[in-house]
Amino acid sequence: MKSSQPYILGDSQRAARRLEVQDAHFAAVSEQLLDDLALMPADRVVEFGCGAGSFSKRVLRRLGEGGVLIGVDSSEGLLHQAKALCENLGPARFEPVLADIAKLGSWLEGADVVTARTMLHHIPMVEFLLGRLRARLKPGTRIGFLEPDFRTPLGRLAYLEATGRPELAPLSMWGTAINQLYLANHISPAVGATLAQTLSMAGYRNVRSAWVETRSDALTVENMLMFYDEVGPRLDSLGIMSFGEIARQCRLLRELPTENLPPAWGIFRVACEA
Ligand SMILES: C[S@@+](CC[C@H](N)C(=O)[O-])C[C@H]1O[C@@H](n2cnc3c(N)ncnc32)[C@H](O)[C@@H]1O
């Protein structure tokens, strides 16, 4: 079984911009997760898949003197950008670590908190990792994850399209493309839906789970366009969507009025203790 693979989205400056757009999109739910984690100034926090550092910045703002954030990512390009963004932000220290989180290295030692935003679904069969993670943590370690949901909103989108809003089709096409890309890479786009149950089964305590939908607006559409821009060649080569169809979908997205759009994403927020 493959434990990890290259990050299937991009790691360029443009990918970092997409993650920044995503951060604005997930601002409220990110802060709620950090409230759940009850961060204390001197905590040692380990962040899985910190990417270009936009969630890391939010964590660091809540830490103080003696606090440390270990940002672990397998993409050198994104980690480099995280370093530039997060160094010298305040009293707490940022330590970037280039590693595959599936291997649970020595960087995990002494963690008071383990967190990740929109990351777990990039790990094939992440349930194994979550079980092994609990075995490595000291009891009481606080855990918090945000995982996106690209599937459940498709039910409402399909209903709306069938009842007089055909212009919403590019939102569902995008949802289909991202789901199919993940499935073609043997990763599950729906890890969040079963995350609370997985953590309970692995013996984590006090598991709390919430689901919220995220608004659809001009930022959402920008994010979708960037997705096509980054992974277009892979969508084409995997037979998920041809270049011609991608160009058509991008045009339809650009033409879509951004007022009054129904959500195309949800997000699961799950917290517990080891
Ligand atoms: C969708 S991005 C999220 C980035 C960041 N958490 C945020 O919310 O802005 C997923 C991140 O996970 C990283 N990643 C994917 N697989 C990984 C692995 N096996 N080990 C470490 N990092 C990984 C990618 O490089 C990428 O930075």
Side-chain angles (χ1 to χ4, degrees):
M1 186 179 63
K2 261 164 93 180
S3 66
S4 67
Q5 57 197 359
Y7 178 43
I8 61 162
L9 305 178
D11 66 357
S12 58
Q13 286 284 349
R14 193 146 166 75
R17 166 71 187 145
R18 189 181 53 73
L19 292 174
E20 202 179 291
V21 166
Q22 199 160 290
D23 178 64
H25 207 69
F26 292 153
V29 73
S30 298
E31 294 299 328
Q32 281 161 1
L33 183 77
L34 297 179
D35 291 344
D36 292 340
L37 286 170
L39 292 184
M40 290 184 278
D43 272 338
R44 184 176 180 85
V45 181
V46 172
E47 183 188 351
F48 288 171
C50 63
S54 47
F55 183 57
S56 322
K57 215 165 86 173
R58 294 180 184 277
V59 174
L60 283 164
R61 269 195 225 120
R62 294 196 183 211
L63 296 179
E65 203 62 54
V68 183
L69 172 62
I70 319 285
V72 187
D73 206 286
S74 55
S75 156
E76 201 165 2
L78 291 175
L79 206 57
H80 192 68
Q81 296 179 51
K83 195 164 180 267
L85 189 71
C86 295
E87 261 182 355
N88 310 319
L89 264 189
R93 202 170 75 240
F94 178 65
E95 281 182 18
V97 175
L98 183 66
D100 173 1
I101 65 136
K103 300 205 167 104
L104 296 179
S106 56
W107 39 263
L108 191 59
E109 277 159 27
D112 300 303
V113 174
V114 175
T115 191
R117 183 177 73 178
T118 63
M119 195 280 142
L120 295 181
H121 61 284
H122 289 288
I123 305 295
M125 301 300 290
V126 74
E127 292 77 7
F128 291 115
L129 171 65
L130 294 171
R132 286 191 282 110
L133 174 67
R134 178 170 168 248
R136 287 282 305 275
L137 296 175
K138 59 185 181 204
T141 307
R142 284 112 68 207
I143 312 289
F145 299 125
L146 292 177
E147 271 300 302
D149 174 11
F150 304 122
R151 292 194 72 133
T152 62
L154 297 177
R156 180 171 46 202
L157 285 176
Y159 173 78
L160 291 170
E161 281 171 57
T163 53
R165 294 200 62 189
E167 80 282 6
L168 299 177
L171 298 183
S172 2
M173 284 300 278
W174 178 84
T176 305
I178 192 162
N179 275 287
Q180 290 186 349
L181 176 67
Y182 285 1
L183 293 173
N185 283 276
H186 305 285
I187 55 178
S188 165
V191 159
T194 49
L195 186 54
Q197 183 63 16
T198 301
L199 293 169
S200 295
M201 296 296 287
Y204 290 87
R205 294 176 299 118
N206 191 21
V207 179
R208 290 97 70 199
S209 175
W211 180 91
V212 286
E213 50 191 17
T214 59
R215 67 182 187 281
S216 282
D217 55 15
L219 272 184
T220 316
V221 171
E222 185 186 350
N223 198 325
M224 290 174 174
L225 290 167
M226 285 174 153
F227 165 83
Y228 282 128
D229 186 45
E230 271 175 55
V231 300
R234 262 172 294 156
L235 294 177
D236 181 77
S237 68
L238 288 164
I240 295 171
M241 202 182 269
S242 67
F243 280 120
E245 184 55 26
I246 291 170
R248 197 176 81 87
Q249 290 303 318
C250 288
R251 181 178 52 75
L252 292 174
L253 279 172
R254 283 193 198 95
E255 287 169 4
L256 193 60
T258 52
E259 306 78 45
N260 219 357
L261 287 178
W265 291 10
I267 190 151
F268 290 94
R269 185 178 108 234
V270 183
C272 61
E273 284 128 42

